Amino acid sequence: MNRKQKTYFITASIGVIAAAGLVLFAKSVSAAPTIPIPAVNIGVGNANNPKEMVNSLQIVFLLTVLTLAPSILVMMTSFTRIVVVLSFLRSAMATQQTPPNQVIVGMALFLTFFIMAPTWSQVNRDALQPYMQAKITQEQAYDKAITPIRDFMFKQTREKDLALFVRLANIKRPKTYDDVPTYVLIPSFVISELKTAFQIGFILFIPFIVIDMVVASSLMSMGMLMLPPMMISLPFKILLFVMVDGWHLLIRSLVMSYR
């Protein structure tokens, strides 16, 4: 058997062995027990009775509320004021991306949970739990749930901002808070929160601007014009913020502003 025949024989043997291995592997796989995979079917059909129609509308309403949940959390709670103030603090200290956006948003979120806990506890006690126990209807649950949230927003809304949106909505001048529609109250609350956040941000900027002015004047008097003042003032800003326990004072002020 010459060299060419030996090579052909070895190649053919390897092919036969590979084919036999594939056959045995296929048999072992087919003999193995199959794992059932659950299937989820969502269908749309005709309602057979009014109760099914009502249940379908309730599901659609629930999905709509879940879709608007982020907007409700941001615009109808203390989140807006807190996240804007924390952003102002980072800009005043000129620390670039420290703390990062994830930390600022996370801190604002948990502070919002802390501040809104009494309001949400009242919503859960007066609206959610009775509705889940079928003691009240959906309309009654909505009225009981929106009442404490409206009370919270009214306490933080300026009358000037509320009057602005009442005029823009072309509605009669309300005599009591109950006469103010919720769609008028929400934007009034938002711009009031933004104004308060900007006022707090202005106060935060003052001590850090003073440090920048002192450092810049010192560098100019020494003739060090090529050295960026921000590079020198940054450690002093951080030192001042740490020495006065700035996080404690700022968070305490934010929480107390809602009491």
Side-chain angles (χ1 to χ4, degrees):
M1 184 181 294
N2 54 23
R3 183 176 181 182
K4 184 176 181 181
Q5 292 176 342
K6 288 182 179 180
T7 304
Y8 177 77
F9 177 77
I10 293 173
T11 304
S13 300
I14 294 174
V16 172
I17 294 173
L22 290 174
V23 172
L24 293 176
F25 178 76
K27 289 183 178 180
S28 62
V29 170
S30 61
T34 59
I35 300 176
I37 300 176
V40 179
N41 297 322
I42 299 177
V44 178
N46 296 326
N48 297 324
N49 51 64
K51 184 177 180 181
E52 293 182 358
M53 182 64 181
V54 172
N55 293 334
S56 300
L57 293 177
Q58 289 178 350
I59 293 175
V60 172
F61 176 75
L62 178 61
L63 293 177
T64 304
V65 172
L66 292 178
T67 303
L68 298 176
S71 299
I72 294 174
L73 177 62
V74 171
M75 295 300 175
M76 298 176 62
T77 63
S78 59
F79 182 86
T80 301
R81 181 188 303 185
I82 296 173
V83 75
V84 171
V85 169
L86 294 179
S87 300
F88 269 124
L89 174 64
R90 185 175 64 181
S91 300
M93 295 184 65
T95 53
Q96 303 299 326
Q97 294 298 321
T98 303
N101 293 330
Q102 293 85 350
V103 175
I104 289 179
V105 173
M107 184 183 299
L109 189 63
F110 283 103
L111 285 176
T112 300
F113 290 156
F114 177 79
I115 294 172
M116 299 297 298
T119 302
W120 288 343
S121 297
Q122 184 178 352
V123 172
N124 180 66
R125 182 183 67 252
D126 298 341
L128 182 59
Q129 293 301 325
Y131 177 71
M132 294 179 64
Q133 297 173 5
K135 295 181 179 179
I136 57 177
T137 63
Q138 184 175 350
E139 293 77 9
Q140 292 174 339
Y142 172 78
D143 294 336
K144 291 181 178 294
I146 199 65
T147 298
I149 298 177
R150 282 170 55 91
D151 293 340
F152 171 81
M153 290 191 291
F154 273 123
K155 293 179 181 178
Q156 309 302 325
T157 304
R158 294 177 173 84
E159 294 184 1
K160 181 179 179 181
D161 298 330
L162 187 61
L164 170 64
F165 283 94
V166 168
R167 291 195 302 269
L168 293 176
N170 292 324
I171 60 177
K172 295 181 179 180
R173 182 176 181 179
K175 298 180 180 179
T176 61
Y177 286 156
D178 295 335
D179 298 333
V180 179
T182 303
Y183 72 90
V184 173
L185 174 60
I186 294 176
S188 305
F189 169 76
V190 172
I191 63 173
S192 294
E193 286 290 281
L194 288 174
K195 182 176 181 179
T196 304
F198 274 67
Q199 290 175 344
I200 299 175
F202 172 76
I203 297 174
L204 285 175
F205 263 93
I206 293 177
F208 299 114
I209 290 177
V210 171
I211 294 177
D212 288 335
M213 294 176 62
V214 171
V215 171
S217 300
S218 301
L219 292 178
M220 290 183 63
S221 62
M222 291 185 294
M224 304 174 66
L225 302 178
M226 301 300 296
L227 186 62
M230 299 295 296
M231 183 181 300
I232 305 301
S233 63
L234 180 58
F236 291 99
K237 292 179 181 179
I238 297 176
L239 179 63
L240 172 65
F241 192 74
V242 172
M243 289 184 62
V244 300
D245 200 359
W247 288 114
H248 175 84
L249 294 176
L250 179 61
I251 300 303
R252 181 179 180 275
S253 300
L254 283 173
V255 174
M256 294 302 296
S257 64
Y258 287 97
R259 299 295 174 86

